[in-house]
C-alpha cells in the first residue's frame, strides 16, 4: 500500500470517528482494507447508543468482518483505526486473524487528551505488546497522522 493510500485510509477512519461523535458516541472509528487496497467495511464506536462497553469501533468491525470474510482470508486484510487498539480490541483483532493494524492516535496520545480521570479510563498499554504474545504475527504501524486523529477528541472528554 502506498503512503498516499495509507494516509487516505487513516483519514477515512478519522472521519468515521468524527461520525461516531456526531452520532452520540465516543470518537473512535475503524475501516477494514482488503488486500487490493479497497475499504470493504467500516465501523464506529457504539458504546453509548448501544449501551455496550464492548462496542468499540475495532470490535464492531471485527464482528462485521467475521460474519462476511472467511477466517483464512483475514490475514491479508488491514484494520485501520483512528486510535491505537486497547487490549480488548487487540485481542479481538488477533482472534479474528487480521494480519495488519494501522492506527492514528496512540494510546498515550489519547491518555494525554483524556487525562487521569476515573470516568474516562484509558490503558497505557501499547497494542504491540498484546500481539507480541501471540503465536502468529500481526504487523503494526502507528501512530500515523496523530495530530489529525486528535481533532475529534478535542472538547469531547472534559465538557
Amino acid at each position: 500500500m502506498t503512503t498516499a493510500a495509507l494516509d487516505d485510509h487513516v483519514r477515512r477512519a478519522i472521519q468515521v470517528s468524527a461520525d461516531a461523535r456526531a452520532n452520540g458516541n465516543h470518537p473512535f472509528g475503524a475501516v477494514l482494507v482488503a488486500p487490493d487496497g479497497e475499504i470493504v467495511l467500516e465501523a464506529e464506536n457504539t458504546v453509548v447508543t448501544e449501551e455496550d462497553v464492548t462496542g468499540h469501533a475495532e470490535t464492531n468491525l471485527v464482528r462485521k468482518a467475521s460474519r462476511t470474510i472467511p477466517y483464512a482470508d483475514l490475514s491479508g486484510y488491514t484494520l485501520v483505526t483512528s486510535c491505537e487498539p486497547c487490549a480488548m480490541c487487540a485481542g479481538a483483532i488477533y482472534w479474528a486473524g487480521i494480519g495488519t493494524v494501522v492506527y492514528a492516535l496512540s494510546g498515550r496520545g489519547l491518555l494525554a487528551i483524556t487525562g487521569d480521570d476515573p470516568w474516562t479510563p484509558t490503558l497505557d498499554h501499547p497494542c504491540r505488546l498484546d500481539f507480541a504474545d501471540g503465536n502468529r504475527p500481526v504487523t503494526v504501524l502507528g501512530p500515523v497522522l496523530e495530530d489529525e486523529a486528535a481533532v475529534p477528541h478535542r472538547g469531547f472528554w472534559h465538557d
Side-chain angles (χ1 to χ4, degrees), residues 6 8 20 24 28 30 33 36 38 43 61 63 67 70 83 91 110 120 122 124 128 132 142:
L6 179 67
D8 287 346
F28 299 98
V33 180
D36 67 2
E38 294 296 316
L61 190 65
R63 286 183 194 104
R67 291 179 186 132
C83 189
L110 177 63
T120 56
T122 302
D124 186 5
R128 286 175 172 87

Side-chain angles (χ1 to χ4, degrees), residues 89-150:
C89 292
I93 293 163
Y94 178 81
W95 294 119
I98 294 169
T100 302
V101 171
V102 177
Y103 66 86
L105 181 63
S106 68
R108 289 191 175 150
L110 177 63
L111 185 59
I113 294 168
T114 63
D116 191 18
D117 181 341
W119 294 107
T120 56
T122 302
L123 294 172
D124 186 5
H125 181 81
C127 68
R128 286 175 172 87
L129 297 177
D130 294 307
F131 297 130
D133 288 337
N135 64 358
R136 70 167 187 82
V138 177
T139 301
V140 179
L141 178 61
V144 177
L145 303 176
E146 196 164 23
D147 290 339
E148 291 181 39

Side-chain angles (χ1 to χ4, degrees), residues 1 5 9 32-40 76-78:
M1 186 178 323
H9 295 325
L32 190 67
V33 180
D36 67 2
E38 294 296 316
I39 294 174
V40 294
Y77 284 72
T78 300

